[in-house]
Amino acid sequence: MTSSNPEALFCLFVFAMSAIYAVASPVQAMATDWEFRSITERAASAADNVRIAQIEGRTAQLAGAQKGLRARHLVILFHGLRGRGAVMEAVAESWQATLPDIAYVAPDAPFPHRSGGRQWFAVDDQVMRPERIEAARRAFDNMVSDIIKREGFEGALDRVAFVGVSQGAIMALDAVASGRWKVGALVCFAGLLPLPPTSTSSATKILLMHGEADRTIPSAATVAAANQLKSAGFDVTSEIFPGVGHTISPAESREAAAFLRKRLE
């Protein structure tokens, strides 16, 4: 599914970046973040009231904790542009039957978006600039640090997983590829790697998934990211899903649950 040929990798990367920055409207490239129709409809009313402060008073322990058990693993879910943590909580709810003993935390991104949602980094000038992702790292890292400390997983990053979609996937990928967060597992839906890897960690198992019909972030971006990460020494699995757009499809959700179940044993 991926190629180790450097020329092919370069072509794929150029195609992905060109498609994102030139062909598509850059606002659409990061802002048309959902075809999450059923999930968004279920979460919409709750999403309007979700704030970062709310995360401080509540842990989304959707499995195990309700039985009075201490969670053995932590999954932090990062939403896309204009989204809310409540949308990703709905994703976590669909996993609770197959992923027990896990604490799920789905925070809001730290920065407001003019639409009323949240964002991990700004794209208001219609350009996704890598330097903006670098500038957003501190806020991202502070939020993740607070969550990990609060949930009692300091010194146990091997039992922590990141799950991100679109803009959330971009931030999660950057956090792992830069070596800042050597977590046990990373799952990305419809993302891209914004900056070349500067670290490696074979202990971090990575699953990249992308819809072949994605017109917001082309699936070639995931192919390029997988090759870059593999070249840097990461343990990466990637899969392209025919007929799927810029979304988390049921098949992708099942694949993610199976991956996390295996990696967080």
Side-chain angles (χ1 to χ4, degrees):
M1 185 172 300
T2 59
S3 170
S4 60
N5 184 289
E7 293 182 358
L9 170 59
F10 179 76
C11 290
L12 286 169
F13 184 77
V14 170
F15 171 79
M17 296 302 100
S18 298
I20 294 164
Y21 298 129
V23 176
S25 164
V27 167
Q28 290 180 334
M30 305 311 302
T32 314
D33 232 76
W34 318 130
E35 289 171 9
F36 280 39
R37 301 307 181 194
S38 61
I39 293 176
T40 304
E41 288 172 3
R42 288 160 45 200
S45 60
D48 288 338
N49 298 318
V50 175
R51 294 292 184 270
I52 295 174
Q54 186 179 32
I55 301 300
E56 295 297 327
R58 182 172 60 89
T59 300
Q61 293 186 357
L62 302 174
Q66 294 177 351
K67 302 177 183 178
L69 302 176
R70 178 176 176 80
R72 296 180 60 244
H73 305 284
L74 172 65
V75 174
I76 307 176
L77 303 100
F78 306 103
H79 63 77
L81 187 68
R82 300 189 302 176
R84 295 283 189 179
V87 175
M88 298 305 286
E89 285 179 10
V91 175
E93 285 174 3
S94 71
W95 293 343
Q96 60 183 325
T98 56
L99 294 172
D101 302 330
I102 292 179
Y104 298 90
V105 178
D108 286 356
F111 305 112
H113 187 272
R114 63 175 181 267
S115 70
R118 309 294 295 185
Q119 61 186 353
W120 299 97
F121 55 89
V123 291
D124 291 342
D125 62 358
Q126 302 187 8
V127 177
M128 193 199 79
R129 303 181 186 277
E131 61 268 23
R132 288 190 169 183
I133 296 168
E134 290 183 297
R137 286 174 173 175
R138 177 177 294 183
F140 178 92
D141 290 347
N142 287 343
M143 174 181 286
V144 171
S145 293
D146 288 345
I147 291 170
I148 288 175
K149 181 177 180 179
R150 187 181 69 242
E151 302 304 325
F153 285 86
E154 288 181 297
L157 289 182
D158 60 316
R159 294 191 285 119
V160 176
F162 288 169
V163 175
V165 61
S166 196
Q167 199 185 65
I170 291 171
M171 291 302 299
L173 262 174
D174 178 65
V176 170
S178 64
R180 302 189 334 269
W181 291 99
K182 296 188 177 184
V183 294
L186 168 65
V187 175
C188 290
F189 303 97
L192 61 85
L193 184 61
L195 297 162
T198 55
S199 181
T200 186
S201 176
S202 59
T204 301
K205 312 302 181 184
I206 302 175
L207 173 62
L208 306 179
M209 291 180 287
H210 215 122
E212 181 272 334
D214 191 338
R215 296 183 180 180
T216 301
I217 300 178
S219 60
T222 279
V223 175
N227 281 325
Q228 285 184 291
L229 291 165
K230 287 178 181 178
S231 295
F234 285 93
D235 184 340
V236 183
T237 300
S238 62
E239 188 168 356
I240 306 300
F241 289 76
V244 174
H246 194 66
T247 186
I248 299 177
S249 68
E252 289 172 296
S253 180
R254 289 191 297 269
E255 191 82 10
F259 176 83
L260 290 172
R261 184 169 60 247
K262 181 177 180 181
R263 299 307 180 190
L264 298 179
E265 291 177 340

